Amino acid sequence: MYNKLTPEIIEEIKKVSDNVLEGEDINPDYAKDEMPIYGTHMPDLAVQARSTEEVAAVVKICYENNIPVTPRGAGTGLVGGCVPLYGGVLIDLSKMNKIKSYDMENFVVDIEAGVLLNDLAEDCLSRGMLYPPDPGEKFACVGGNVATNAGGMRAVKYGATRDYVRAMTVVLPTGEITHLGATVSKTSSGYSLLNLMIGSEGTLGIITELTLKIIPAPKAAASLIIPYEDLKTALSTVPKFKMAHMDPQAIEFMEKEIVLVSERYIGKSVFPQQLDGADIGAYLLVTLDANSEDELDALIEQAAELVLEAGAMDVLVADTPAKMKDAWAARSSFLEAIMEETKLLDECDVVVPVNKIADYLVFANKVAEECGITIKTFGHAGDGNLHIYECSNDLEEEEFEKRVDKFFKAIYDEAIRCGGLVSGEHGIGSGKVKYLVESIGEKNMQLMEGIKRVFDPKMILNPGKVCYRL
């Protein structure tokens, strides 16, 4: 259904871009994302774009010639979202990495889509500001965060990426450039095309520039490592923070096994494994922030009393930047640590109501045992977003995929039954399309495909992702 690139089309593209890669010059990483089990497919041509106008010119040529186009940032996705399934042209936006300007009176920053999350976060902090979205992969492009509506650790207090996008510049599949949203904080001006683009995973348009909301950074912060004998007791504590009006910046949960994997990987032990001769089974990692050290000290004391009354074995306070970095080092390295020790790997980021997490994980562990696979679990206890990694070092890939498919079907069905969704922040890509259909139904998939066709009549942009099944 798509045409192949011809020498003539390639020459056209080279006339509008000086950043074209062919043949052996194309980076092999362009064939995959961070979860290669969803396939590797090389593009026929790659463009390392430097401007919105360059992106638009390349896309226009591809649209006129019916060539598939796949946008890509840093390639840190986990659902095959940036894999060029049908070859064609891959447009790499990671070179569009300028932080353009700040408007401190309106609390926004203008950036290009290829800016790394880590760079934006550090630049904001150097100005006394905070860009609150905090996905685990700090070296992802912010444009990719917006394209998947990434959430991250601070979503429990500050919200997901969607809540911080005020405006954007987008190249449509036709090659036209449009601007969505505005600097203002309120809108009741027709359909929200801005919110439709957020989370669309590069299937409706290519986000090239962004205007993002920022806030004054809190004056003080500290993290608490809170050990428990078991995960159920740990998770039962989570709603109590909100009920006590404490509003933590982050509430993460993790079981002991995955912490040990991560600490082996980073070569440093921060989390205790036993207390007074009793084994620790699970942990909460909680970050509190405040506008003064005195206010923070009062919050820490209140939190300690709360969790100890709720069954915590102890409270370890990390109240300096170095201690906080150590406390979060293991949590931030979970994926890399698992990959280091695992031959075959898949992952889901299912989201369920907070009060259902414990029972849901009991169910997931039971299903994993029945399916004959090993799972490692952690996640955002404050918002119910669970990261469940399916691992094997013994199975052949075909058998592994068969067992994982059976596991996914069971746990996604259970998530929907208890009021959850297939993905909380990683998106659908190509890897989770089937499970999305089963969870939201054919009618809703048809509605989404209808929207896709309005934006992309020839269906050339990131085909085979989210709702468009080929």
Side-chain angles (χ1 to χ4, degrees):
M1 65 180 295
Y2 298 114
N3 293 329
K4 292 290 186 182
L5 279 169
T6 64
E8 293 76 18
I9 296 172
I10 293 172
E11 282 306 309
E12 278 191 66
I13 292 173
K14 286 181 176 179
K15 288 177 183 176
V16 299
S17 173
D18 295 326
N19 309 298
V20 176
L21 302 175
E22 298 181 78
E24 294 182 357
D25 291 332
I26 300 176
N27 189 334
D29 286 344
Y30 285 162
K32 59 184 176 61
D33 66 3
E34 288 294 309
M35 198 59 68
I37 198 162
Y38 295 126
T40 57
H41 300 270
M42 285 294 287
D44 300 309
L45 196 75
V47 176
Q48 295 180 327
R50 268 44 174 208
S51 71
T52 296
E53 292 71 24
E54 183 181 350
V55 173
V58 172
V59 171
K60 185 174 187 292
I61 292 168
C62 291
Y63 185 78
E64 290 171 348
N65 291 280
N66 206 35
I67 304 295
V69 178
T70 304
R72 177 189 177 92
T76 60
L78 296 169
V79 290
C82 66
V83 179
L85 295 176
Y86 298 91
V89 175
L90 180 142
I91 299 181
D92 176 3
L93 296 149
S94 65
K95 305 296 184 184
M96 294 178 61
N97 55 9
K98 296 184 184 70
I99 298 174
K100 297 172 66 179
S101 64
Y102 285 84
D103 180 346
M104 292 300 192
E105 293 181 336
N106 288 302
F107 296 97
V108 295
V109 58
D110 290 329
I111 69 167
E112 293 181 326
V115 170
L116 299 181
L117 175 63
N118 185 74
D119 294 346
L120 176 61
E122 289 188 354
D123 199 64
C124 284
L125 285 174
S126 74
R127 300 164 189 265
M129 305 301 289
L130 179 71
Y131 175 64
D134 189 35
E137 177 50 75
K138 303 299 185 280
F139 295 94
C141 292
V142 178
N145 288 168
V146 174
T148 58
N149 187 34
M153 270 73 81
R154 292 198 286 244
V156 60
K157 178 171 184 175
Y158 292 113
T161 297
R162 180 184 302 278
D163 302 303
Y164 294 87
V165 182
R166 289 283 175 81
M168 63 173 67
T169 300
V170 177
V171 174
L172 297 173
T174 56
E176 298 167 283
I177 299 170
T178 189
H179 304 280
L180 306 176
T183 298
V184 296
S185 59
K186 296 173 70 176
T187 176
S188 185
S189 308
Y191 296 152
S192 180
L193 299 178
L194 177 74
N195 276 291
L196 193 57
M197 196 65 62
I198 298 166
S200 64
E201 301 184 44
T203 62
L204 303 182
I206 300 176
I207 300 166
T208 59
E209 299 174 45
L210 291 158
T211 298
L212 303 170
K213 172 185 170 183
I214 53 178
I215 64 174
K219 294 287 194 295
S223 291
L224 311 179
I225 296 174
I226 309 169
Y228 293 82
E229 287 191 21
D230 59 81
L231 184 59
K232 188 167 187 178
T233 306
L235 291 171
S236 70
T237 311
V238 174
K240 301 183 191 314
F241 285 102
K242 286 283 189 182
M243 293 300 293
H245 303 283
M246 296 193 64
D247 210 12
Q249 189 187 97
I251 314 175
E252 299 291 293
F253 78 87
M254 56 210 75
E255 292 186 275
K256 181 178 180 178
E257 181 188 356
I258 198 164
V259 169
L260 293 176
V261 171
S262 188
E263 290 187 338
R264 285 196 297 272
Y265 177 75
I266 64 174
K268 180 179 286 189
S269 181
V270 179
F271 289 67
Q273 298 176 28
Q274 284 190 330
L275 279 171
D276 299 327
D279 285 335
I280 293 167
Y283 310 85
L284 293 182
L285 179 56
V286 177
T287 295
L288 303 168
D289 60 23
N291 289 319
S292 70
E293 292 291 346
D294 289 344
E295 184 184 339
L296 180 63
D297 289 342
L299 276 175
I300 292 171
E301 186 174 339
Q302 183 185 357
E305 290 177 5
L306 183 152
V307 300
L308 290 170
E309 286 178 8
M313 299 168 71
D314 199 355
V315 179
L316 308 177
V317 181
D319 54 4
T320 67
K323 288 179 180 178
M324 287 182 68
K325 183 178 180 181
D326 285 345
W328 282 92
R331 167 62 183 87
S332 299
S333 300
F334 281 168
L335 174 56
E336 292 85 353
I338 294 169
M339 285 181 164
E340 184 75 14
E341 296 189 0
T342 307
K343 185 179 78 170
L344 292 172
L345 183 68
D346 206 338
E347 187 263 2
C348 71
D349 76 310
V350 64
V351 59
V352 299
V354 172
N355 65 339
K356 303 287 181 63
I357 297 174
D359 290 341
Y360 184 81
L361 289 176
V362 169
F363 175 85
N365 280 301
K366 179 173 178 291
V367 173
E369 187 175 345
E370 291 171 353
C371 293
I373 57 173
T374 299
I375 63 172
K376 294 181 172 67
T377 307
F378 59 94
H380 313 306
D383 56 36
N385 189 190
L386 316 178
H387 299 291
I388 304 175
Y389 284 81
E390 299 74 39
C391 311
S392 175
N393 287 319
D394 305 315
L395 297 172
E396 294 298 321
E397 185 168 333
E398 184 177 350
E399 179 63 22
F400 175 71
E401 290 180 359
K402 180 180 174 183
R403 296 187 188 190
V404 168
D405 180 57
K406 182 179 177 183
F407 174 75
F408 278 159
K409 176 160 178 45
I411 67 165
Y412 285 139
D413 285 351
E414 179 67 9
I416 303 306
R417 189 194 67 76
C418 66
L421 294 166
V422 169
S423 174
E425 59 186 2
H426 292 170
I428 302 302
S430 62
K432 300 294 189 287
V433 173
K434 179 174 81 169
Y435 309 109
L436 182 65
V437 179
E438 292 170 352
S439 67
I440 69 172
E442 195 61 47
K443 173 52 67 177
N444 286 348
M445 290 294 288
Q446 289 170 5
L447 289 171
M448 288 197 292
E449 186 174 317
I451 293 168
K452 163 76 171 164
R453 289 185 181 278
V454 168
F455 278 83
D456 185 8
K458 292 186 178 180
M459 307 299 262
I460 67 162
L461 191 56
N462 213 7
K465 316 292 173 59
V466 187
C467 65
Y468 182 39
R469 296 155 284 176
L470 291 173

